Amino acid sequence: MKKHLVRIVGGDYRRTSIPVIEAAGLRPTPDRVRETLYNWLQHLWAHDFSQKRVLDLFAGTGALGFEAASRGVAHVQMVESNPAAVAALRSLRSRLKADHVRIHSGDARMVLDRTSADPFDLVLLDPPFGQQWLDTLWARLPPILAPDGLVYVESETALVPPEPFELLRQGKAGQVHFHLLRFAAAQKKVNNPETS
C-alpha cells in the first residue's frame, strides 16, 4: 500500500514531502488550499513574513505550520496531542533543520490557557470535525493574538465569526470551508444609545 504524502508548496522547503500517518480525524489541508492561504497572507503582510510568529494549534501532519516556516516566519509553535503525530513532526523538523519550529505535545485548550509567550500574528485552526472545538476556543484566542492578528480556520460549515473577529477571506474545497479572520483588537462594543 502506497504511503499517503502531502508536499510543502512554497518557500525554502518547497516540494518537501510530508508523510501522513494513520490517525483518527487527521485531515491534511490540501496543497491548493495552503497555496491560497499563503497567497492571502503575502498580500496582507506585504510579502514580509520575517517578523511573524505563528501558532499551529492542531498541527497534525504539520503541513500548515511547516508551510509558514518554509516562507521565513520568525517562529512557529506547533501543538499536537497524538503521540505518533508528534513524533512525525519532530522527525520532519530534524530533517529540515527547522530550528525556528517548536513542537508541543498536549491539549490545545491547555496550551492556550497557559501561553504567556509573545503574542502570535497568525493562529492556524484545523481541529477535528464534529467535536465543537471552535466553541471552546474563541474566548481563549484574544489574549494570545497580536493586535490585528490573523486566524485561519477550517470547518465543516461556513463560519460567522463572533466579535471581535472579522471575516477577511473565505473559500471551499470539497466538504471543507476555510476562512481567514482578523482579530480586531481595537474594536469597541457598540453601546446602546440612551433613548431619553
Side-chain angles (χ1 to χ4, degrees):
M1 183 175 164
K2 189 177 179 184
K3 198 169 193 179
H4 181 44
L5 300 170
V6 294
R7 295 187 185 280
I8 296 174
V9 297
D12 294 342
Y13 310 141
R14 186 177 180 189
R15 295 192 184 93
T16 298
S17 59
I18 302 175
V20 179
I21 66 162
E22 292 291 328
L26 190 63
R27 190 191 62 257
T29 301
D31 293 1
R32 71 182 182 88
V33 174
R34 277 183 281 122
E35 188 166 17
T36 297
L37 166 62
Y38 283 90
N39 284 343
W40 291 344
L41 293 173
Q42 277 194 310
H43 172 72
L44 292 166
W45 288 347
H47 299 267
D48 184 6
F49 289 62
S50 63
Q51 302 301 311
K52 303 303 183 184
R53 292 173 47 82
V54 176
L55 174 63
D56 188 355
L57 201 53
F58 298 86
T61 63
L64 283 168
F66 280 115
E67 198 76 59
S70 180
R71 290 159 192 266
V73 301
H75 176 76
V76 178
Q77 175 72 55
M78 295 186 182
V79 179
E80 177 54 49
S81 61
N82 181 298
V86 170
L89 291 170
R90 289 178 173 154
S91 174
L92 180 57
R93 177 186 60 188
S94 296
R95 179 158 57 104
L96 294 172
K97 298 180 173 59
D99 296 333
H100 56 314
V101 175
R102 297 289 169 87
I103 298 163
H104 181 87
S105 176
D107 178 81
R109 287 166 293 213
M110 190 177 298
V111 169
L112 286 180
D113 291 343
R114 293 182 178 178
T115 292
S116 59
D118 292 337
F120 292 98
D121 301 287
L122 172 65
V123 176
L124 301 163
L125 296 179
D126 182 11
F129 286 176
Q131 298 179 28
Q132 282 69 55
W133 269 101
L134 294 175
D135 294 341
T136 72
L137 296 176
W138 292 121
R140 290 175 159 98
L141 293 174
I144 60 110
L145 278 164
D148 293 321
L150 301 173
V151 181
Y152 170 78
V153 185
E154 291 187 18
S155 60
E156 304 102 310
T157 58
L159 283 182
V160 178
E163 290 185 356
F165 300 97
E166 58 178 331
L167 181 64
L168 297 180
R169 307 269 196 284
Q170 63 182 324
K172 186 170 185 274
Q175 299 303 307
V176 177
H177 294 259
F178 55 99
H179 317 76
L180 188 62
L181 316 176
R182 176 184 283 132
F183 170 50
Q187 179 176 317
K188 302 232 183 342
K189 290 186 178 177
V190 177
N191 294 323
N192 291 326
E194 292 183 5
T195 54
S196 57

